[in-house]
């Protein structure tokens, strides 16, 4: 366990802390591994095989020439001349000399090692290689038993090409691809940083407005979700502020009446209780009205509450609401549903929505019908009534707090507002239409 924690801390220290750095590291590591594998395949296999074959070919030509000279010493000059012409090798023999050095300068690639091994294998003698003898040739000196064989070999017979060009291509392509990846990653990171900055400012109370979605699809979705959340929070704050102002305004009237009633009551002498009965009834009515206003505000302020979504049978929920509405004096004409629809919702909150809507329908008409149906990737719950309906010009206003269409028989103007907020918290929407029954149609759309 301690070793695992130590390794985790070590990795955290070694890894970049920024999202851009880690994204670039994710791009860089496979790129480096791919380039290293390609270099190893070229350098470790193809280049070594070709270099070994070229070295063996040159040394085999030299061995054939040396053997021919030893067997036909009288034709030495003719053999060397033919060898220069046929093999492009500049051969010279220095009898009696000894090889002064056996070291060979290092060159990029396996050519020097392959040529040295080929000489040792064929001649069993030390050699010296000068790769910088001329620009077009390589000098090879071989120590024989009776002298030194001095050969100038064309570089094209030993070198497969400039190794540095392949290495430069590997490194250059890696750098170029890394820069391109860095530009793309930087663009995505800027979108994430812009989203993080907007969220931080919004958390500090600085409303900079909606942000422009940019970057990849997931980042755009996050930006759109943030804009929706920002709009919802602003609407929430605005509504709560308006509700507080409305409640304080509406409570001022019954409080004033209570104060006047109490001020006008006699404070001396004896008074018959029957004489105070009208004043007491008025005060009780004022208190009842205040309780109703405060209860409406608390119901609105609770909103969706802390209830967790659970799979709920909407048809069973609608039937329960219809039964409660019937007991309250409403008339449910029908419930249209092809089958039970199970959707993850907050059941108590959705029950409040349907009860509020059914109560509105009961007060304005009395007769209503429910419908449930699938609509693509959504579920629609429709409530139709036969009341007077709502004019097209007022359908947006009724969702504002305290915008009530009820008469003096009740209603605080918070029912549709509460319904809209709860349905919006489920990711759905509430719309108003004309009903086939002649009144209002309320359509709830919930995601499946």
């Amino acid at each position: 366990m301690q070793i695992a924690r130590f390794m985790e801390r070590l990795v955290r220290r070694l890894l970049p802390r920024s999202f851009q750095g880690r994204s670039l590291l994710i791009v860089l590591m496979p790129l480096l591994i791919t380039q290293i594998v390609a270099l190893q395949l070229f350098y470790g296999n193809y280049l070594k095989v070709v270099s070994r074959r070229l070295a063996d070919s040159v040394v085999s030509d030299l061995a054939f020439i040396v053997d021919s000279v030893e067997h036909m010493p009288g034709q030495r000059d003719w053999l060397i001349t033919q060898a220069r012409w046929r093999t492009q090798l500049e051969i010279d023999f220095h009898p009696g000399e000894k090889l002064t050095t056996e070291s060979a300068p290092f060159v990029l690639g396996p050519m020097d090692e392959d040529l040295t091994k080929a000489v040792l294998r064929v001649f069993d003698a030390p050699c010296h290689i000068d790769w910088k003898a001329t620009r077009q040739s390589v000098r090879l000196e071989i120590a024989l038993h009776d002298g030194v064989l001095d050969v100038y070999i064309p570089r094209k017979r030993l070198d497969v090409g400039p190794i540095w060009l392949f290495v430069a291509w590997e490194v250059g392509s890696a750098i170029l691809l890394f820069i391109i990846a860095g530009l793309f990653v930087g663009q995505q990171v800027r979108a994430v940083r812009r989203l993080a900055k907007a969220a931080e400012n919004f958390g500090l109370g600085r409303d900079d407005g909606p942000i422009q979605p940019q970057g990849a699809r997931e980042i755009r979705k996050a930006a759109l979700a943030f804009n929706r959340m920002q709009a919802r929070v602003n609407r929430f704050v605005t509504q709560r502020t308006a509700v507080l102002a409305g409640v304080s305004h509406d409570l001022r009237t019954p409080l004033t009446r209570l104060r006047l009633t109490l001020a006008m009551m006699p404070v001396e002498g004896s008074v018959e209780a029957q004489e105070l009965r009208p004043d007491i009834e008025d005060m009780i009515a004022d208190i009842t009205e205040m309780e109703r206003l405060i209860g409406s505000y608390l119901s609105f302020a609770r909103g969706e509450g802390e209830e967790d979504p659970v799979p709920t049978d909407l048809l069973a929920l609608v039937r329960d609401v219809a039964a409660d509405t019937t007991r309250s004096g409403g008339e449910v004409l029908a419930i249209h549903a092809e089958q039970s629809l199970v959707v993850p919702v907050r059941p108590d909150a959705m029950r409040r929505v349907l009860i509020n809507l059914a109560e509105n329908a009961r007060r304005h008409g009395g007769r209503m019908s429910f419908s449930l149906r699938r609509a693509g990737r959504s579920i629609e719950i429709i409530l139709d009534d036969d009341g007077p309906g709502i004019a097209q010009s007022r359908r947006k206003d009724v969702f504002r707090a305290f915008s009530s269409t009820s008469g003096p028989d009740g209603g605080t103007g918070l029912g549709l507002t509460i319904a809209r907020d709860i349905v919006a918290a489920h990711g759905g929407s509430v719309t108003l239409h004309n009903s086939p029954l002649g009144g209002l149609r309320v359509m709830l759309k919930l995601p499946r």
Side-chain angles (χ1 to χ4, degrees):
M1 184 66 68
Q2 294 181 353
I3 297 177
R5 292 179 179 177
F6 172 76
M7 294 300 297
E8 183 179 359
R9 289 196 297 267
L10 182 61
V11 170
R12 288 181 179 178
R13 291 180 180 179
L14 294 178
L15 287 178
R17 295 185 179 273
S18 65
F19 175 71
Q20 183 175 9
R22 295 190 177 187
S23 301
L24 291 177
L25 185 62
I26 293 175
V27 174
L28 179 62
M29 292 305 296
L31 183 61
L32 288 180
I33 292 174
T34 303
Q35 299 288 30
I36 290 173
V37 170
L39 184 61
Q40 177 63 26
L41 290 175
F42 176 81
Y43 186 86
N45 296 318
Y46 171 78
L47 182 59
K48 285 186 177 180
V49 171
V50 174
S51 176
R52 185 170 62 251
R53 291 177 180 177
L54 291 176
D56 291 342
S57 174
V58 171
V59 175
S60 298
D61 290 345
L62 289 176
F64 178 76
I65 294 171
V66 170
D67 292 342
S68 300
V69 170
E70 290 179 352
H71 286 81
M72 293 180 290
Q75 298 183 3
R76 176 178 177 276
D77 294 338
W78 180 84
L79 289 173
I80 292 177
T81 301
Q82 291 295 318
R84 290 176 178 175
W85 179 51
R86 301 290 184 182
T87 63
Q88 300 179 346
L89 300 176
E90 296 290 337
I91 302 175
D92 197 3
F93 182 72
H94 305 287
E97 292 187 5
K98 294 184 179 181
L99 194 63
T100 57
T101 179
E102 299 180 7
S103 62
F106 173 78
V107 294
L108 184 62
M111 292 84 70
D112 53 348
E113 295 181 1
D114 292 336
L115 185 57
T116 302
K117 291 178 180 179
V119 171
L120 292 174
R121 184 173 62 254
V122 175
F123 289 97
D124 193 19
C127 66
H128 173 256
I129 307 172
D130 186 3
W131 291 91
K132 299 180 181 181
T134 64
R135 296 184 60 183
Q136 302 295 332
S137 61
V138 178
R139 185 180 182 183
L140 172 64
E141 295 177 295
I142 303 175
L144 302 179
H145 63 281
D146 55 349
V148 176
L149 181 64
D150 192 1
V151 185
Y152 282 85
I153 308 170
R155 186 177 291 271
K156 62 183 179 181
R157 292 202 60 182
L158 294 174
D159 196 352
V160 296
I163 305 292
W164 62 267
L165 184 60
F166 179 78
V167 177
W169 165 255
E170 288 279 311
V171 176
S173 61
I175 294 175
L176 179 61
L177 293 176
F178 185 71
I179 291 175
I180 295 175
L183 294 177
F184 281 102
V185 171
Q187 183 179 3
Q188 305 304 318
V189 171
R190 281 195 296 271
V192 175
R193 288 175 178 171
R194 189 180 300 111
L195 178 60
K197 185 64 176 178
E200 182 180 2
N201 289 341
F202 186 66
L204 296 174
R206 306 168 188 170
D207 189 359
D208 298 331
I211 60 176
Q212 182 67 27
Q214 294 179 350
R217 181 175 57 184
E218 291 78 6
I219 301 178
R220 290 174 179 267
K221 287 184 177 180
L224 292 174
F226 172 80
N227 289 339
R228 289 194 295 267
M229 180 204 69
Q230 187 179 33
R232 182 183 172 193
V233 171
N234 287 334
R235 186 177 69 248
F236 177 86
V237 173
T238 302
Q239 289 179 350
R240 266 53 181 180
T241 303
V243 168
L244 282 175
V247 169
S248 62
H249 177 271
D250 291 342
L251 288 178
R252 188 176 294 113
T253 300
L255 285 174
T256 302
R257 288 200 299 263
L258 285 173
R259 184 181 295 110
L260 290 175
T261 302
L262 292 174
M264 294 177 65
M265 282 187 174
V267 295
E268 295 180 355
S270 59
V271 181
E272 293 291 336
Q274 191 67 24
E275 297 179 4
L276 298 179
R277 184 180 181 87
D279 294 333
I280 294 175
E281 290 178 352
D282 291 340
M283 288 191 291
I284 292 175
D286 289 336
I287 294 174
T288 302
E289 183 180 357
M290 293 170 60
E291 289 178 346
R292 183 176 63 85
L293 290 173
I294 294 174
S296 299
Y297 170 70
L298 292 178
S299 177
F300 175 75
R302 281 196 301 268
E304 58 186 288
E306 300 179 354
E307 188 181 6
D308 294 327
V310 295
T312 304
D313 188 347
L314 294 182
L315 180 56
L317 184 63
V318 169
R319 285 174 176 171
D320 291 342
V321 172
D324 293 341
T325 303
T326 302
R327 287 194 299 268
S328 300
E331 181 181 355
V332 179
L333 300 177
I335 299 177
H336 304 285
E338 298 178 358
Q339 57 183 348
S340 297
L341 300 175
V342 178
V343 180
V345 297
R346 299 174 178 87
D348 291 341
M350 286 304 302
R351 181 185 296 275
R352 288 177 55 206
V353 171
L354 295 175
I355 288 177
N356 282 341
L357 297 179
E359 182 64 18
N360 287 340
R362 185 189 66 80
R363 286 200 307 266
H364 290 89
R367 297 193 304 168
M368 68 197 76
S369 66
F370 291 89
S371 301
L372 277 81
R373 65 189 183 188
R374 298 178 186 270
R377 302 180 63 180
S378 302
I379 299 295
E380 292 180 350
I381 304 176
I382 301 173
L383 175 61
D384 293 306
D385 63 52
D386 62 348
I390 299 177
Q392 184 73 30
S393 59
R394 292 203 56 201
R395 289 180 182 175
K396 291 184 179 180
D397 297 335
V398 295
F399 287 107
R400 292 204 303 262
F402 299 107
S403 177
S404 176
T405 59
S406 300
D409 58 337
T412 61
L414 292 175
L416 287 177
T417 307
I418 295 173
R420 195 263 316 269
D421 286 351
I422 292 177
V423 174
H426 286 81
S429 61
V430 181
T431 55
L432 304 180
H433 308 274
N434 293 327
S435 172
L437 299 180
L440 181 68
R441 163 173 285 188
V442 183
M443 179 182 294
L444 311 180
K445 185 173 291 188
L446 300 173
R448 294 171 57 182

